[in-house]
Amino acid sequence: MSNRHARRQDVGLLLVVSSPSGAGKTTLARRLRDDFSGLGFSVSYTTRPPRTGEQDGVDYHFVTQETFDRMVGEGRFAEWAHVHGHSYGTAYEAIDQALKSGTDMLFDIDYQGGRQIKSRFPDAVMVFVLPPSVDELARRLRGRATDSKASIEKRLHGAVEELNHYDAYEYLVVNENLDRAYDELRAVYVASRCNWRLRAHFAEQLVTEARRQEP
Ligand code: ADP
Ligand code: 5GP
């Protein structure tokens, strides 16, 4: 968060957002990043080809399967998974940066990745975005028109598997009305920033300061 108090903390918050493909997590996550300039985005590595308009190094690091496999072998990923026929992974660099510099970091990753991040970083905040219905999910996936027919069918099939894992998450945001869903995601982020683990450092400073000023 880019406010005065946030700068006093020394630990970055890891915010994991997952959902079945098409539920709206990219739309919601983008809005959150626009709202909070201090919230970093973890740019994943993927073997998926870029969609029209996607930029290398901004949306994803687009790599070959060979490069991806080498990175796996070198232990460069904090998590990685096969999703819809491609490999996706989060490099440790992004997380180290968040934890060391106190920058909050948003991860748009699937449930397999979410599970790995949570087991390595138990303080990660886990948000799962649900579509209002399976029919609406299908409508959104088809309406997005960024994927081939085969890819859309693969994603719809994968949605059932992804939905099954909602119970590994701490917060469930239902994305029926976009504004309302965004309010919920924003509220989770803002409240998580007030978690005592992140604020305890500041409170300790105040206690020390107050003791020093005691007559
Ligand atoms: P995901 O990242 O979960 O795959 P996207 O954010 O790309 O999903 O959203 C899928 C499609 O649904 C996009 O075309 C997006 O504009 C649309 N969409 C997202 N949220 C809503 C909503 N609340 N109502 C209607 N359409 C939505
Ligand atoms: P898309 O191809 O639509 O950009 O993403 C497909 C799925 O892969 C989405 O559910 C997205 O959250 C997930 N994904 C993107 N990056 C990563 C990553 O680094 N790791 C994992 N495990 N999943 C990812």
Side-chain angles (χ1 to χ4, degrees):
M1 223 177 285
S2 59
N3 65 31
R4 193 166 63 86
H5 296 291
R7 280 200 295 274
R8 293 184 185 221
Q9 108 238 343
D10 60 351
V11 189
L13 179 147
L14 307 183
L15 182 66
V16 173
V17 183
S18 304
S19 80
S21 188
K25 71 182 162 317
T26 307
T27 308
L28 289 165
R30 207 168 276 151
R31 211 157 148 180
L32 195 67
R33 287 159 58 200
D34 288 348
D35 225 355
F36 295 93
S37 56
L39 176 63
F41 176 63
S42 166
V43 180
S44 296
Y45 286 77
T46 184
T47 60
R48 162 170 85 60
R51 294 182 181 129
T52 311
E54 281 185 333
Q55 283 177 269
D56 188 32
V58 176
D59 299 287
Y60 281 104
H61 299 288
F62 295 100
V63 294
T64 61
Q65 190 67 58
E66 194 188 353
T67 302
F68 193 94
D69 292 344
R70 183 173 42 75
M71 290 180 72
V72 171
E74 290 170 354
R76 301 258 309 270
F77 290 125
E79 66 76 27
W80 68 274
H82 293 298
V83 190
H84 313 312
H86 300 287
S87 303
Y88 294 80
T90 305
Y92 271 110
E93 282 112 63
I95 298 178
D96 287 349
Q97 185 199 332
L99 295 180
K100 282 186 193 142
S101 68
T103 311
D104 296 342
M105 193 65 80
L106 190 148
F107 299 82
D108 174 340
I109 58 179
D110 87 320
Y111 74 91
Q112 305 170 82
R115 193 164 47 198
Q116 294 171 58
I117 292 289
K118 187 67 180 174
S119 74
R120 293 206 165 115
F121 306 95
D123 289 343
V125 177
M126 309 290 289
V127 181
F128 197 78
V129 178
L130 294 163
S133 68
V134 175
D135 283 350
E136 174 61 14
L137 181 74
R139 256 193 299 280
R140 286 183 194 168
L141 265 178
R142 295 193 172 112
R144 187 166 65 181
T146 49
D147 301 293
S148 66
K149 235 182 178 159
S151 174
I152 289 172
E153 292 317 310
K154 209 179 271 180
R155 280 160 192 269
L156 267 174
H157 185 73
V160 178
E161 176 67 8
E162 183 89 27
L163 274 173
N164 251 326
H165 292 87
Y166 75 88
D167 58 350
Y169 289 74
E170 295 153 332
Y171 297 95
L172 303 178
V173 168
V174 181
N175 181 20
E176 181 162 24
N177 174 286
L178 187 60
D179 287 340
R180 209 170 309 132
Y182 177 65
D183 281 349
E184 290 182 3
L185 177 63
R186 191 181 192 283
V188 168
Y189 175 53
V190 172
S192 300
R193 274 258 105 266
C194 302
N195 187 290
W196 75 267
R197 277 192 296 267
L198 297 179
R199 289 275 162 89
H201 178 75
F202 175 59
E204 270 310 311
Q205 279 178 0
L206 282 182
V207 170
T208 310
E209 212 173 297
R211 284 212 183 106
R212 235 187 268 126
Q213 287 177 17
E214 250 174 359

